[in-house]
Amino acid sequence: MKRASRKIDNQAADSKPAGTGSSAESAFASYAAPLVVDAIEHANAVREDASPESLHQLRVSLRRLRSLWWAFEPLLDKGENTRQRALYKYLATAAGKTRDWDILIELITQDERVAHEIAPKLQEARGSALVTSRETLSNADVKHLLQDALTSASKELNTAHERVPLQTFVDQRVAASERSLKKRIKRASHAKRSNYAAFHDVRKAGKKVRYLLEFFEPVLSGSHKRVLKRLKQIQKRFGTLNDIVASEMLLRDNMGLLAGSGDTDAALNWLRKERKRRMRAAAGLLRKL
């Protein structure tokens, strides 16, 4: 296993941006290896660093891995690809359980009166969530899971009989992700404001497009400036909406845990008003896209 670890570390160190003349199969490791190294480093950091930023960075790195595996889905075994993407989602969720408390605490502090009353209980709940997150990530053995996933996918691609030009491949995959985003924007623009799932789908599709553009921008044909501008708007507007919705849900799900810690009804009322305001803002953006 140590030998495999050194091999992957060397892959990451030697990885150079793939050129337009490369094949998609041969270019995979140049994209995947650095992401695997980053995710492992962030997972290790979470064991020592309990800050919101360390958990956020781990979750982002795992989401980026999931998006990359989605991009290469047509070239990989379908069942194994689905399993790996589910694994990245599982690990990101483990980190996210603590991160969600961080977001709730940050939002609640905007109302000093409410925050003063329930902040101690929120911090206590956050501490318990952190213990669970760390235990889950430790038991999962993130380092070896990610290394094995990279080794397996690289081997499969390197032994493939056919070769697909990298530029052709990434143009097709980015176009597919952009079509998916447009479809979800259209669906959400006709949905009722109570249908948060439709708005959430726009946010997830936007993240995928953004990650793919970050991965492949140097070899993509054509300009994607208009899409990037749209993505920045979506990320900001829909990200703040998601924070509110997730925090309101988290608070509602833990009312028993927070009983007697202060005016939780006031906190819920503030979150509810914020949700409605940000839903209106998100709907307004959709009409402009």
Side-chain angles (χ1 to χ4, degrees):
M1 190 60 72
K2 289 183 178 180
R3 183 179 300 173
S5 177
R6 287 196 298 270
K7 181 179 179 181
I8 292 171
D9 289 341
N10 289 336
Q11 277 183 293
D14 296 338
S15 293
K16 297 178 180 179
T20 54
S22 305
S23 70
E25 290 82 357
S26 63
F28 171 77
S30 69
Y31 295 113
L35 295 182
V36 167
V37 170
D38 283 346
I40 291 172
E41 288 180 349
H42 291 311
N44 289 337
V46 167
R47 290 203 300 264
E48 307 295 334
D49 182 6
S51 70
E53 184 62 20
S54 65
L55 288 156
H56 173 63
Q57 290 302 325
L58 173 58
R59 188 159 62 168
V60 169
S61 66
L62 290 164
R63 284 173 174 170
R64 285 167 61 83
L65 276 170
R66 192 163 183 252
S67 294
L68 184 68
W69 254 252
W70 177 89
F72 279 86
E73 182 180 24
L75 305 180
L76 294 166
D77 176 79
K78 185 176 181 179
E80 180 64 13
N81 182 274
T82 299
R83 191 183 74 81
Q84 291 299 335
R85 289 171 58 208
L87 170 64
Y88 301 147
K89 183 178 182 179
Y90 168 76
L91 295 175
T93 299
K97 289 185 181 300
T98 303
R99 177 60 182 155
D100 288 344
W101 284 105
D102 289 327
I103 293 170
L104 173 58
I105 291 169
E106 183 179 344
L107 287 169
I108 290 298
T109 56
Q110 295 180 34
D111 187 321
E112 293 184 4
R113 182 182 64 82
V114 174
H116 176 73
E117 293 177 342
I118 70 173
K121 276 287 186 179
L122 293 180
Q123 288 290 351
E124 184 179 330
R126 194 263 186 191
S128 297
L130 177 62
V131 171
T132 302
S133 292
R134 283 173 164 169
E135 183 177 353
T136 301
L137 294 169
S138 177
N139 290 340
D141 194 0
V142 174
K143 179 179 179 179
H144 292 145
L145 279 176
L146 299 188
Q147 289 176 340
D148 289 346
L150 174 58
T151 299
S152 176
S154 297
K155 181 179 179 180
E156 180 182 352
L157 292 170
N158 288 332
T159 56
H161 296 298
E162 297 182 5
R163 287 289 185 269
V164 182
L166 177 61
Q167 186 175 61
T168 300
F169 179 75
V170 299
D171 281 345
Q172 291 174 346
R173 297 306 285 160
V174 169
S177 69
E178 290 177 347
R179 287 194 300 271
S180 179
L181 174 60
K182 290 177 182 178
K183 181 179 179 180
R184 282 158 176 74
I185 288 174
K186 184 177 181 180
R187 184 183 300 163
S189 65
H190 293 94
K192 296 180 179 179
R193 288 184 185 172
S194 59
N195 184 6
Y196 172 68
F199 287 74
H200 189 52
D201 285 344
V202 171
R203 179 173 175 267
K204 290 191 295 183
K207 279 181 175 290
K208 182 180 292 180
V209 176
R210 179 167 61 87
Y211 291 149
L212 265 58
L213 289 177
E214 290 173 353
F215 297 150
F216 304 132
E217 192 275 333
V219 295
L220 282 172
S221 58
S223 173
H224 294 264
K225 290 183 179 180
R226 183 177 180 182
V227 176
L228 282 170
K229 181 179 179 181
R230 177 183 295 183
L231 291 175
K232 288 180 181 178
Q233 293 173 320
I234 290 173
Q235 183 179 2
K236 183 176 180 179
R237 195 75 58 90
F238 284 70
T240 56
L241 170 61
N242 181 71
D243 288 348
I244 287 291
V245 172
S247 293
E248 183 181 2
M249 186 180 303
L250 184 63
L251 191 56
R252 288 187 183 280
D253 289 345
N254 289 275
M255 292 295 285
L257 182 67
L258 300 173
S261 60
D263 193 353
T264 52
D265 287 339
L268 283 171
N269 185 53
W270 182 83
L271 288 168
R272 184 168 55 252
K273 289 180 179 178
E274 278 294 297
R275 170 170 49 82
K276 291 180 178 180
R277 183 176 70 83
R278 297 189 189 195
M279 284 287 279
R280 288 194 297 269
L285 175 60
L286 286 177
R287 290 193 292 269
K288 298 177 182 179
L289 293 176

